[in-house]
Amino acid sequence: MAVDSTDGTLFPPDSGAGPELIQLLTPEGERVEHPDYAVDLSDDEYLALYRDLVLVRRFDAEATALQRQGELGLWASLLGQEAAQIGSGRALRSNDYVFPTYREHGVAWCRGVDPLNLLGMFRGVNNGGWDPRENNFHLYTIVIGAQSLHGVGYAMGVQRDGTDGAVVTYFGDGASSQGDVNEAFTFAAVFNAPVVFFCQNNQWAISEPTERQMKVPLYRRAAGFGFPGVRVDGNDVLACLAVTRAALDRARRGEGPMLIEAFTYRMGAHTTSDDPTRYRLSAELEEWKLKDPIERLKAFLHKQGIGDAAFFADLEAESEELGKRVRNGVRTMPDPDPASIMFANVYAEPHPLVERERAEFEAYHASFVDAGEDGH
């Protein structure tokens, strides 16, 4: 059975021994116990987690297909990382706040953000598509690691307001080497901010493997800043739920930040513009397929006799309906006014330079209409 790795006894990533990590559900679907982290769920709650995993993967697959068909400009798939996102996302309370990267589609699902709002940004018809205040889920951040500073700043505000909310900021293993993330660690530690740093270590920062990014296991970096770090099995939805819930409760008690390293794997490309076959071996992918988060939970459900044939049939039908809604919704999105999407909301109040640039842009576009009407 895997053990807690907070004492620093973790094997280094290049030892060949494999990492020890917090785990509650083995890849074979066997339930195991951990002395510090636990979940006590009803059958309905287990089924709800499985539903989340299946529907988020279906949505992600549809988005990838739509990009390949030219309907989206780009897509960053979460394939393989569903458990890390659903587990941590379902640990949140309604008054907690999330600062995501551009891949947290599963967390967005947990926060009630409509998948079509996510796709509108990747189609280029909006600049975000949702109001962060409605779901306590910030807009996607494209600049690598920048959201970690935003999250710490928000957490410091929560702290000063005296509320019992907490913040989770997500980033990847590659982003952990960015200055912004390390600055966020410093501020969070010094001010004892109620923030959880959730790092999805999917083994590859685009084409750069983990062993070329760091000399120590990622979670150990937290100790140098003065707060604890743990490594959890990122393909185990139950462990991700338990560890994130505990970290959030710790933050609410005023005990400060914590780093969670979800040890998982990016099954697909970094984005749809990437070709992972150029830098990683197929044998590695096949090895991680045996740890698939959905199959793991499904095996557990079958072993426990949770969920009947009707549940799985209904879920399959729901998955098909979601796929149709996503496809139809994307293809029927109206094109935006180019001037509005580029120039609106740049400043809180009208700005002379922006207004002049907007007028020039509109005149330029109008010239094409005039030329067409004149037959040129």
Side-chain angles (χ1 to χ4, degrees), residues 327-351:
R327 290 194 300 272
N328 295 334
V330 167
R331 290 168 178 159
T332 57
M333 285 181 180
D335 291 335
D337 171 43
S340 294
I341 201 168
M342 291 177 64
F343 296 100
N345 304 314
V346 177
Y347 289 93
E349 298 178 356
H351 189 283

Side-chain angles (χ1 to χ4, degrees), residues 101-306:
T101 69
Y102 45 78
R103 200 188 301 275
E104 271 68 63
H105 319 312
V107 186
W109 173 270
C110 293
R111 299 306 276 175
V113 178
D114 191 323
L116 288 174
N117 283 338
L118 302 179
L119 294 172
M121 185 184 74
F122 287 94
R123 189 172 171 86
V125 302
N126 61 50
N127 291 321
W130 64 93
D131 183 348
R133 294 166 296 187
E134 290 183 0
N135 310 82
N136 279 12
F137 185 81
H138 201 263
L139 296 176
Y140 276 3
T141 301
I142 307 301
V143 179
I144 304 299
Q147 72 283 353
S148 58
L149 282 171
H150 306 158
V152 171
Y154 192 93
M156 291 167 64
V158 168
Q159 184 183 58
R160 283 154 178 75
D161 288 342
T163 68
D164 65 347
V167 174
V168 179
T169 180
Y170 290 85
F171 54 91
D173 47 296
S176 70
S177 298
Q178 291 284 346
D180 283 4
V181 173
N182 289 269
E183 291 168 14
F185 286 175
T186 297
F187 270 85
V190 170
F191 289 96
N192 209 45
V195 60
V196 175
F197 296 105
F198 195 95
C199 177
Q200 294 174 81
N201 179 1
N202 63 21
Q203 313 302 310
W204 292 92
I206 308 183
S207 59
E208 195 77 356
T210 304
E211 59 267 22
R212 292 185 183 177
Q213 302 176 57
M214 59 202 74
K215 296 295 290 184
V216 298
L218 197 153
Y219 80 93
R220 286 191 189 174
R221 290 181 168 186
F225 293 89
F227 56 88
V230 296
R231 176 179 268 181
V232 62
D233 185 341
N235 285 20
D236 176 356
V237 69
L238 303 185
C240 289
L241 173 65
V243 172
T244 308
R245 184 180 286 168
L248 286 166
D249 287 343
R250 180 181 179 279
R252 293 189 190 97
R253 292 193 300 267
E255 297 177 29
M258 183 171 172
L259 170 63
I260 299 173
E261 176 194 356
F263 198 82
T264 182
Y265 191 76
R266 191 192 77 216
M267 298 295 287
H270 174 70
T271 69
T272 45
S273 64
D274 171 43
D275 179 8
T277 64
R278 298 180 62 183
Y279 55 80
R280 69 185 189 190
L281 300 175
S282 59
E284 180 179 290
L285 182 63
E286 293 303 314
E287 178 185 351
W288 277 90
K289 283 182 179 179
L290 300 176
K291 305 172 185 179
D292 183 274
I294 296 181
E295 292 304 317
R296 179 182 306 204
L297 185 56
K298 187 175 184 179
F300 168 76
L301 296 177
H302 285 315
K303 290 176 189 290
Q304 299 298 314
I306 300 173

Side-chain angles (χ1 to χ4, degrees), residues 77-89:
S77 173
L78 59 61
L79 183 63
Q81 298 177 220
E82 296 92 349
Q85 296 193 17
I86 295 300
S88 60

